[in-house]
Each structure stands twice: as structure tokens, then as C-alpha cells.
Amino acid sequence: MLSFGVQIPFVSHLGFTLHRMEGGESELRYTAQAEHLNSFAVTHGGATMTLMDVAMATAARSEVPDDIGVVTIEMKTSFMFAARGPLVARGKLLHRTKSLAFTEASIYDAEGRLCSHATGTFKYMARPAQPSAAVPTD
């Protein structure tokens, strides 16, 4: 398992894991917890959209230095099949300019069925300086 390179509290909360981030491609894995399901007992669409958003962003970030991040400009999502059980998201950088990344991502279930697909546009931005961790004093 790889590191995202930055702290993303929401991603940590959901439990996404990064398995590939290179050459304009990414692969993330996720198994929804009970609190991430909808009323039909399948992965909530918001969780799957977040998974694809992160997969696309990670694919876009794989082509730039670590001090450059991305922010989502727009995203279009299609849901084709109920997302149940362990999921795999694959992101791909389709094209980039100096300031924009054009991407896509797909989510597959354990049987290899395509559950959802998204396209997204991201803006490259310099990362703000991270505050140093506070050192506790006694």
C-alpha cells in the first residue's frame, strides 16, 4: 500500500487505500463500512463519488512535483450498477496543461463489473506551507 503523500482526513475516515500512483494512473481500494451505505444497503453514491474524485486527483498528481496539489473544478458521474463489497477505483489522466488536468475514473466491484464512471477537471495549485506539528509541553 502506498501513501497519498499528504494528509487527507476525509479519505482516512472512509478507509481508502492507494495501490498505484504513477504515469498518469492511479488505483484505490475501498470497502464501505455500515455507516457508508444507503437505504438499499449498497455503497452510498456520495462515497463512490468521493472515491472517484480521489482516484482522478491522484492520477493528476502523479505527473507533478509533490509541492503541487489539485482542486476539483468539475465532475460528472454516471452510476451503472450497485456498488457492493470491496471496490477498486482506477483513475487516469487524459490530458493536462500547465494549470488543468482532464481525468476519468471507474469503479469496479469484486466480480469486475463496472459500477460507476466519472470525468473530472482539476486545477493544479501550489500547496500551502504545512504548519509544523505542535510539540506538547508538560
Side-chain angles (χ1 to χ4, degrees), residues 6-76:
V6 293
Q7 287 290 348
I8 311 169
F10 190 52
V11 169
S12 297
H13 169 75
L14 289 170
F16 299 170
T17 58
L18 179 63
H19 295 264
R20 182 163 191 231
M21 180 182 173
E22 64 183 347
E25 295 182 351
S26 68
E27 182 176 301
L28 284 74
R29 296 187 187 165
Y30 167 59
T31 301
Q33 301 302 307
E35 62 269 22
H36 305 153
L37 303 180
N38 65 19
S39 62
F40 293 96
V42 298
T43 305
H44 191 283
T48 60
M49 289 180 73
T50 300
L51 181 59
M52 288 187 291
D53 181 58
V54 175
M56 291 186 290
T58 304
R61 286 183 44 232
S62 74
E63 293 285 302
V64 296
D66 290 342
D67 63 340
I68 302 295
V70 294
V71 294
T72 310
I73 300 298
E74 63 85 27
M75 180 174 172
K76 184 217 181 275

